[in-house]
Amino acid sequence: MRLEPHEFRAMDLVGGDPALDLINTVTARDTEPRDWLDGYPALLRWARKAALVAPADLDALAAQAAASPAKAAAALARCKQLRETLCVALYALAAGEEPDAAELDALDQARLAASRAARLVSHDGRLQTQWSAERSGLDLIAHVSTAFAIELLRDARLERLRVCDGRGCGWVFVDTSKSGRRRWCDMATCGNVAKARRFQQRRKD
């Protein structure tokens, strides 16, 4: 998989869930995959754009990464491993298949690691699970992404899980359309490209 520098934009966040948007930090999975997380700073930029964790925590992570590049690289590798494991599991579910036991075991290990770093806090009279840069360290983004992934895997929204039909994409998303027949991650990108290809094919015919 080729690393590719990327400046994350709002249009990159079309999954409908942070766990899906993490998977989508690799593009063109169906052709020539390109990984947009070319370093820990890229992971921070993605998390900031996705509003995954508090800005203060992201600043703390940036300082930790600068102080220990080797630990940051290891944390990035663990986050990418989570991303790929989750991708394989969700691709299987989107195809109407059950994930392999190995993927489920890996996700369970990620869940346990995230759980150990979490703490319960009270907010407006209700208990919430919270992660911080102080407790999770450089794995904070992976821990929060894991929490979203586990919730998604329990959610009825999985019935609307889709893999984009666009060539050179492979992104995953939750279909929120009324008809439930959405084919592309984004009509303005993959949808328009597919329409243009069909138009060109009709002209050739």
Side-chain angles (χ1 to χ4, degrees):
M1 187 183 301
R2 177 163 58 91
L3 292 175
E4 180 179 85
H6 184 74
E7 193 60 42
F8 290 100
R9 302 160 294 176
M11 64 185 296
D12 298 323
L13 307 174
V14 298
D17 188 275
L20 301 183
D21 288 327
L22 177 63
I23 293 172
N24 296 344
T25 57
V26 173
T27 191
R29 285 186 180 272
D30 58 334
T31 49
E32 297 179 355
R34 303 189 305 278
D35 186 350
W36 287 342
L37 298 181
D38 61 342
Y40 198 85
L43 181 63
L44 292 176
R45 292 197 304 273
W46 171 79
R48 194 178 296 275
K49 179 60 69 174
L52 190 72
V53 298
D57 278 323
L58 290 174
D59 293 340
L61 292 179
Q64 291 179 28
S68 184
K71 289 183 179 179
L76 176 64
R78 287 189 291 272
C79 193
K80 287 188 179 187
Q81 183 177 21
L82 167 68
R83 178 188 67 185
E84 297 310 302
T85 299
L86 185 59
C87 180
V88 172
L90 290 178
Y91 264 44
L93 290 168
E97 303 169 356
E98 290 293 327
D100 289 343
E103 273 79 49
L104 292 179
D105 183 62
L107 289 173
D108 196 38
Q109 292 303 312
R111 177 188 63 82
L112 291 171
S115 180
R116 286 191 292 269
R119 67 188 182 102
L120 286 177
V121 297
S122 180
H123 182 71
D124 292 336
R126 294 188 178 185
L127 291 180
Q128 295 181 349
T129 305
Q130 186 178 85
W131 287 266
S132 67
E134 180 181 4
R135 291 174 65 92
S136 290
L138 291 161
D139 288 314
L140 174 62
I141 295 170
H143 288 169
V144 176
S145 297
T146 297
F148 275 105
I150 297 303
E151 280 301 309
L152 178 64
L153 288 166
R154 294 170 174 162
D155 201 307
R157 289 179 300 161
L158 273 183
E159 296 178 0
R160 289 289 192 99
L161 182 67
R162 306 284 186 266
V163 177
C164 183
D165 275 354
R167 187 175 183 277
C169 183
W171 279 8
V172 286
F173 61 91
V174 173
D175 180 2
T176 57
S177 66
K178 290 183 178 180
S179 66
R181 295 180 179 179
R182 181 175 152 197
R183 296 176 54 194
W184 300 289
C185 62
D186 192 301
M187 188 63 208
T189 53
C190 289
N192 282 341
V193 169
K195 283 188 172 183
R197 283 179 178 150
R198 288 199 302 270
F199 176 76
Q200 290 296 333
Q201 188 60 48
R202 284 196 297 270
R203 290 189 64 183
K204 289 179 182 178
D205 296 341

